[in-house]
Amino acid sequence: MKHTPLYHIHCKLGAKLIEFGGYEMPVQYSSIIEEHHTVRRAVGLFDVSHMGKFELKGSGAQDFLQEMLSNDVAALTPGRAQYNVMLYENHSEIPDGGIIDDLIVYCVSPVHYLLIVNASNTQKDFAWLNKHLPNHLVLTDCSDELTLLALQGRYAEQTLQKLTRLNLSHVRHYGFVHGEVAGVEMYVARTGYTGEDGFELCCPNEFAEELWNGLLEAGKEFEIKPIGLGARDTLRLEMGYALYGHEIDETTNPIEAGLGWITKLNKPSFKGKEACLKAKADPKRKLVGFEMSGRAIARQGFEITTQSGERIGKVCSGTLSPTLNKPIGTGYVALEYSQPNSLIYITVRDKREEARVAALPFLSKERRQAAHTAEKISKTFS
């Protein structure tokens, strides 16, 4: 099993460690709920160095990515990032349009891109890209050379600003800069996976510990805490963000997964386009959110049925939402049951539990503000 450069720190902090994407990673340091609230209310620090990291260089790099990815890579300008999916086409065993991976593309220049991919898919992604790579381009797997940290929460900017002369207020959402933080040159991107404001920092491994400790020190006044993968999962699910291996995989296409907004069917071509056009013209199922009527928690793979027991889908993810204090989840259902407020039923421990289809994200701006208001009132009277 592999380890990130900060593994010894996670052990020292008493983190509970699990296998994830081939790495031994911290799932929690204290409790998942406590860490979740820390990110929503203040600021938290994640080690996400297990993520795959590729560099693509050469004339024609943009054209190559435009063909390999679903989103409009040509719209990217230097200093901008973009969410994307990479799809199968003409694979002997997998249907066209199946999702190989979801990833973030960073445009350093039209001839230089950085790709951040899922840890469990790093080798598969690299092989697929290499299979189609023109001879004049160079694709490098930098996964084992670079550390990636995520600083997330409403006080993320104020925490990070203490360590850099970069004007972070000028870095837009899905924008990034290359500059000095804590005396080290690195990429600083206003991206993340929590729904809160925040930054992802990419630097050489030798500076990982220095950066981690510097961020924890800078965030002390905001009660910063290290955050594990458990809270990362509850945070992303409240926002309806897809997780590979749950909401999306090789059996799903981006249209049914609600990722039509990053699937630019007006592009002349991209791998998997024809399959996406067919899925849009004749949809069979749809990814939806749901809220349980009771306190039962639905888990991945649980069956979704009608009240009479007719199978209409399956659960992708399920958890107790710490912010909403209710069980939520996602799942694919037959199209006729996908409208918000539709009643569905999920088999939990041999019992059919009622749930209601909910619009994504679960944590809308209004619900988030209501939760913050309730928190302030609670603190006032506590």
Side-chain angles (χ1 to χ4, degrees):
M1 199 178 303
K2 299 176 74 173
H3 297 119
T4 75
L6 295 169
Y7 171 74
H8 67 287
I9 288 183
H10 304 317
C11 293
K12 185 177 179 180
L13 290 171
K16 178 181 178 181
L17 301 167
I18 61 166
E19 188 279 330
F20 188 83
Y23 283 77
E24 195 170 9
M25 296 293 293
V27 66
Q28 63 190 82
Y29 299 86
S30 53
S31 79
I32 291 173
I33 291 178
E34 180 184 336
E35 291 171 24
H36 180 108
H37 287 315
T38 292
V39 176
R40 288 276 182 252
R41 295 170 179 169
V43 61
L45 181 61
F46 303 76
D47 177 11
V48 288
S49 304
H50 62 304
M51 301 291 284
K53 311 159 198 82
F54 305 154
E55 269 198 315
L56 178 69
K57 293 182 178 181
S59 177
Q62 182 187 95
D63 292 338
F64 173 67
L65 291 176
Q66 185 79 324
E67 177 63 24
M68 297 301 295
L69 305 176
S70 68
N71 210 335
D72 185 10
V73 180
L76 279 177
T77 55
R80 297 295 293 164
Q82 187 184 73
Y83 183 49
N84 246 300
V85 288
M86 184 161 57
L87 308 176
Y88 278 113
E89 184 176 272
N90 298 326
H91 190 284
S92 59
E93 300 174 358
I94 300 168
D96 288 355
I99 298 175
I100 301 170
D101 204 2
D102 62 329
L103 61 149
I104 304 288
V105 178
Y106 296 86
C107 177
V108 182
S109 79
V111 295
H112 183 190
Y113 292 85
L114 179 67
L115 283 65
I116 305 296
V117 305
N118 283 294
S120 59
N121 293 333
T122 301
Q123 292 183 350
K124 177 180 69 172
D125 293 355
F126 192 75
W128 181 257
L129 288 167
N130 249 328
K131 178 181 178 181
H132 300 91
L133 193 71
N135 291 333
H136 60 277
L137 294 180
V138 177
L139 181 69
T140 306
D141 185 351
C142 309
S143 303
D144 294 335
E145 302 165 17
L146 299 173
T147 289
L148 187 64
L149 302 184
L151 184 71
Q152 300 282 295
R154 66 178 69 179
Y155 298 118
E157 182 179 311
Q158 289 150 281
T159 297
L160 185 57
Q161 193 65 74
K162 295 180 181 182
L163 302 178
T164 182
R165 293 182 179 180
L166 296 168
N167 190 335
L168 298 177
S169 65
H170 289 175
V171 182
R172 294 183 291 161
H173 184 56
Y174 267 72
F176 71 97
V177 293
H178 188 267
E180 204 172 273
V181 177
V184 178
E185 290 286 326
M186 66 184 70
Y187 288 110
V188 179
R190 201 163 206 141
T191 50
Y193 196 50
T194 64
E196 299 297 328
D197 187 24
F199 298 86
E200 292 181 306
L201 311 170
C202 188
C203 72
N205 285 345
E206 56 262 38
F207 303 109
E209 187 170 345
E210 180 182 345
L211 179 60
W212 174 273
N213 290 335
L215 290 167
L216 288 180
E217 182 63 31
K220 272 186 176 179
E221 70 169 291
F222 308 115
E223 300 182 344
I224 192 173
K225 292 178 182 175
I227 312 295
L229 295 180
R232 184 173 164 86
D233 189 51
T234 56
L235 288 159
R236 70 92 191 168
L237 188 53
E238 285 186 343
M239 297 306 299
Y241 295 157
L243 176 63
Y244 198 90
H246 287 254
E247 285 73 23
I248 54 176
D249 59 25
E250 296 170 349
T251 71
T252 60
N253 69 68
I255 303 301
E256 65 188 7
L259 297 175
W261 60 282
I262 60 166
T263 308
K264 305 304 184 184
L265 297 174
N266 59 340
K267 288 202 308 184
S269 70
F270 63 88
K271 294 198 178 302
K273 178 181 176 180
E274 291 305 314
C276 292
L277 286 169
K278 290 178 182 177
K280 185 173 182 179
D282 187 22
K284 304 295 185 186
R285 62 176 186 167
K286 183 178 178 181
L287 181 69
V288 299
F290 61 80
E291 296 182 1
M292 304 297 291
S293 299
R295 300 299 290 180
I297 297 176
R299 299 298 187 186
Q300 184 180 22
F302 284 12
E303 197 171 74
I304 302 177
T305 70
T306 63
Q307 188 173 18
S308 62
E310 177 191 356
R311 189 181 186 281
I312 58 171
K314 67 175 182 177
V315 173
C316 297
S317 297
T319 192
L320 174 70
S321 162
T323 306
L324 302 175
N325 191 29
K326 65 169 60 177
I328 61 173
T330 60
Y332 282 98
V333 298
L335 205 61
E336 57 266 36
Y337 298 94
S338 64
Q339 293 301 311
N341 292 317
S342 297
L343 280 178
I344 56 175
Y345 294 82
I346 300 173
T347 306
V348 181
R349 293 187 295 275
D350 298 322
K351 183 180 178 182
R352 200 168 292 142
E353 301 282 355
E354 183 184 272
R356 194 174 293 275
V357 172
L360 295 174
F362 296 102
L363 202 59
S364 63
K365 288 183 180 179
E366 293 76 18
R367 287 183 113 173
R368 191 182 310 182
Q369 186 56 48
H372 289 162
T373 301
E375 174 197 340
K376 289 178 182 177
I377 292 174
S378 175
K379 285 183 176 180
T380 300
F381 290 96
S382 61

